[in-house]
Amino acid sequence: QVQLVESGGGLVQGGGSLRLSCAASGTFFRVDEMAWYRQAPGKQRELVALITRDGSTNYADSVKGRFTISRVNSKNTVYLQMNSLKPEDTAVYYCNANVAIRWYGGPNDFWGQGTQVTVSS
């Protein structure tokens, strides 16, 4: 029905940069709020950054000033530009989207499969 396909993870040295992408595909009416979460080994999944359809953003304190979330509504795609990466940013990063399947009814929550980001010291 709705698929979120992520790309852009990998291994990078501390201080480096990575850009994650997530594209929503399938049959739906509209993609509303989109977000990136991450989960490090032994830790709970946490919100990294969120962006509304009109471009309002919210960031976790730990990434403010280093990460930037953006989206292109016409492509149903969200990006996460990650700069000045630190070893503590190492985690599996998940894309999340609230998707309205039909013009009526509320949005549904969808998740990507996750992409590994590893930052070496």
Side-chain angles (χ1 to χ4, degrees):
Q1 195 174 32
V2 177
Q3 284 190 322
L4 300 180
V5 180
E6 301 143 339
S7 61
L11 173 64
V12 65
Q13 279 194 329
S17 298
L18 282 173
R19 189 191 194 211
L20 305 182
S21 300
C22 171
S25 63
T27 303
F28 50 85
F29 174 65
R30 185 186 64 241
V31 179
D32 292 330
E33 199 170 88
M34 302 186 83
W36 288 96
Y37 286 74
R38 68 185 181 187
Q39 187 166 19
K43 294 189 177 181
Q44 287 191 326
R45 190 173 296 189
E46 63 174 356
L47 176 67
V48 176
L50 175 153
I51 185 166
T52 64
R53 186 169 176 82
D54 66 2
S56 298
T57 59
N58 192 25
Y59 295 91
D61 288 342
S62 59
V63 306
K64 282 181 181 177
R66 300 188 298 122
F67 290 11
T68 302
I69 190 170
S70 61
R71 65 187 288 170
V72 177
N73 288 336
S74 62
K75 295 183 179 180
N76 296 311
T77 299
V78 64
Y79 305 95
L80 185 68
Q81 178 66 44
M82 304 185 292
N83 298 329
S84 302
L85 282 161
K86 305 175 181 180
E88 50 263 45
D89 294 318
T90 295
V92 177
Y93 284 70
Y94 295 92
C95 175
N96 171 265
N98 297 142
V99 181
I101 303 300
R102 301 175 184 82
W103 64 268
Y104 57 90
N108 297 281
D109 210 32
F110 293 91
W111 292 89
Q113 78 284 359
T115 185
Q116 177 70 45
V117 171
T118 302
V119 184
S120 63
S121 55

